Amino acid sequence: MLHLAENLSRLGTETAFDVLARAAALQASGTDVINLGIGQPDFPTPEHIVEAAVKALRDGHHGYTPANGIAPLREGVAADLAKRHGIAVHPDRIVVVPGGKVTMFFAILMFGEPGAEIIYPDPGFPIYRSVIDYSGAKAVPLPLLERNAFAFSAEEVLARITPATRLIIINSPANPTGGVTPADEMDKLAKGLEDHPDVAILSDEIYSEMLYDGRRHRSILNYPALVDRAIMLDGWSKTYAMTGWRAGYAVWPEALAPIATRLAINCHSCVNAATQWAGLAALEGPRDAVDAMTDAFDKRRRIVTDALNGLPGFRCIEPAGAFYAFPNIEGTGMTAAEAQDRFLSEAGVATIAGTSFGDHGAGYLRVSYANSAENITRAIERMAAILS
Ligand code: PLP
């Protein structure tokens, strides 16, 4: 018998991948499945980004790169942050990693251990809770409520801080709710954190370019008082439709960047070279494809919200960011898990139960609108047929 490490029993998962596998299996057996489950843009990566990767390979970029990323890319990220958030970041604070997830894994492992507490959003991206549990730290949920449009309240975050709190995780625009925390709430949180100088903050800003109705993103990097303890997670997966390339980055406090780099050396050595050159082309190239994607998400957002609100037992607020709607389905009489199962097996529509994102997701379903307007409409018609 093999003796696996005890902490592995506490490692969770991301149900979206299980649903993706079930949807693929159903599809392979001839069922027409519409996938509103997975959180990835349904657009191809823009052509000039693909070309940059091909060129990098032809130019001979085949070897290891520096573990924290090639210098031109880190400089490119710094320039992009200056443009988007109006902040100056030294490229040495930037660590390029294979996807946004790697930053959260590193940050949680840096602070999580038995006796430590980490505050995380619930409902929230499932990997936060999974890795907190794995680390042995106590996971302290921060409930995100529909009546608050799924934004977090600074007061609620600050109220959860104890002497054992090491790290707070926030995410706006948010997965799975599409909630966006207003700038003044971010201001209050930053101000309140000044009274807790030993607490670090991980701000997951991977959806920061997917904001609607003229909203503007307020980055954690906009608070100079937090510069020594704020980790800002971002990446290429969502903005540039590059989920399969595996490219992300974080801005770390100066003292933590070398630790993140050491974790990278122990784990993956570096992001593959061609992907890094593609990432640079994404930041420096034309924006029309990105703008077109965001416009498409904005249009679908309205379509999906209207259609979901037309379903018996459903109630859905309009998401303010990202590409997820998070309808309340309590009126259907089904639990979130039952709804996920029935919509997939009986209607061929993949969605994700809210409970996959935490206990406060009970009674909700995540519907990704990273699919065509036609498919969204067709999917919701099929769901209506099940409900009637
Ligand atoms: N953070 C959030 C909130 C996400 O929703 C996701 C992906 O779904 C990630 C991070 C991870 O992104 P990546 O695919 O770059 O690892």
Side-chain angles (χ1 to χ4, degrees):
M1 188 164 111
L2 301 177
H3 293 277
L4 292 176
E6 185 269 333
N7 52 3
L8 276 178
S9 66
R10 298 194 302 267
L11 194 63
T13 188
E14 186 183 350
T15 319
F17 281 94
D18 299 340
V19 174
L20 188 67
R22 273 185 63 200
L26 276 173
Q27 215 138 19
S29 68
T31 310
D32 172 34
V33 177
I34 306 173
N35 199 333
L36 307 184
I38 195 79
Q40 67 178 338
D42 55 316
F43 298 95
T45 305
E47 195 54 36
H48 68 278
I49 301 176
V50 177
E51 284 309 318
V54 172
K55 180 172 183 309
L57 289 173
R58 292 206 196 288
D59 288 351
H61 293 287
H62 303 165
Y64 292 124
T65 77
N68 56 348
I70 54 174
L73 181 56
R74 287 181 296 105
E75 283 155 15
V77 169
D80 182 59
L81 293 171
K83 201 165 56 196
R84 290 197 292 128
H85 304 313
I87 37 176
V89 168
H90 195 286
D92 286 353
R93 288 176 55 205
I94 294 162
V95 180
V96 178
V97 282
K101 263 182 184 168
V102 180
T103 294
M104 69 184 75
F105 194 72
F106 286 2
I108 295 169
L109 289 191
M110 269 185 216
F111 291 98
E113 62 182 347
E117 293 182 7
I118 300 181
I119 300 171
Y120 72 101
D122 177 353
F125 191 54
I127 301 306
Y128 307 141
R129 170 72 198 252
S130 166
V131 184
I132 296 169
D133 287 346
Y134 176 72
S135 77
K138 180 178 168 195
V140 180
L142 169 72
L144 300 181
L145 306 177
E146 183 184 354
R147 68 174 133 80
N148 208 15
F150 300 113
F152 59 77
S153 109
E155 202 181 314
E156 295 268 308
V157 179
L158 296 168
R160 281 170 173 70
I161 296 178
T162 74
T165 306
R166 300 265 183 90
L167 178 70
I168 296 170
I169 303 174
I170 56 171
N171 171 221
S172 174
N175 178 7
T177 61
V180 170
T181 298
D184 60 340
E185 213 57 42
M186 285 290 288
D187 292 348
K188 275 191 221 158
L189 178 63
K191 186 93 200 87
L193 283 176
E194 288 178 24
D195 298 333
H196 302 281
D198 299 334
V199 176
I201 181 155
L202 168 64
S203 180
D204 182 341
E205 303 184 16
I206 201 143
Y207 296 104
S208 59
E209 297 218 53
M210 289 170 187
L211 272 171
Y212 311 110
D213 299 329
R215 290 180 177 85
R216 280 186 58 78
H217 182 66
R218 178 71 58 93
S219 172
I220 199 72
L221 297 174
N222 289 117
Y223 301 96
L226 300 179
V227 70
D228 292 335
R229 53 206 170 101
I231 303 154
M232 197 281 281
L233 177 162
D234 204 337
W236 286 264
S237 296
K238 315 289 174 173
T239 308
Y240 300 99
M242 291 178 71
T243 50
W245 293 71
R246 309 313 299 138
Y249 68 86
V251 178
W252 295 85
E254 202 180 318
L256 298 187
I259 305 176
T261 303
R262 201 182 318 155
L263 283 166
I265 293 168
N266 275 272
C267 177
H268 56 263
S269 296
C270 62
V271 172
N272 90 65
T275 288
Q276 294 192 51
W277 288 101
L280 181 59
L283 299 179
E284 293 184 340
R287 308 288 302 174
D288 36 335
V290 172
D291 294 342
M293 272 192 280
T294 316
D295 285 350
F297 290 138
D298 192 9
K299 288 199 185 79
R300 295 167 184 183
R301 175 177 77 107
R302 293 165 203 279
I303 295 170
V304 84
T305 313
D306 286 349
L308 289 172
N309 276 318
L311 291 177
F314 272 58
R315 178 180 78 214
C316 185
I317 60 170
E318 196 167 70
F323 41 59
Y324 308 105
F326 203 60
N328 181 311
I329 60 153
E330 279 162 348
T332 65
M334 289 189 281
T335 65
E338 283 163 359
Q340 174 192 296
D341 272 355
R342 287 197 59 196
F343 289 137
L344 183 56
S345 56
E346 296 174 32
V349 177
T351 58
I352 313 273
T355 37
S356 301
F357 304 95
D359 293 344
H360 288 88
Y364 295 86
L365 210 54
R366 188 186 81 172
V367 177
S368 160
Y369 48 92
N371 206 326
S372 68
E374 301 75 55
N375 280 344
I376 291 168
T377 308
R378 251 177 358 111
I380 296 178
E381 279 166 9
R382 288 190 195 177
M383 289 161 74
I386 300 285
L387 293 166
S388 61

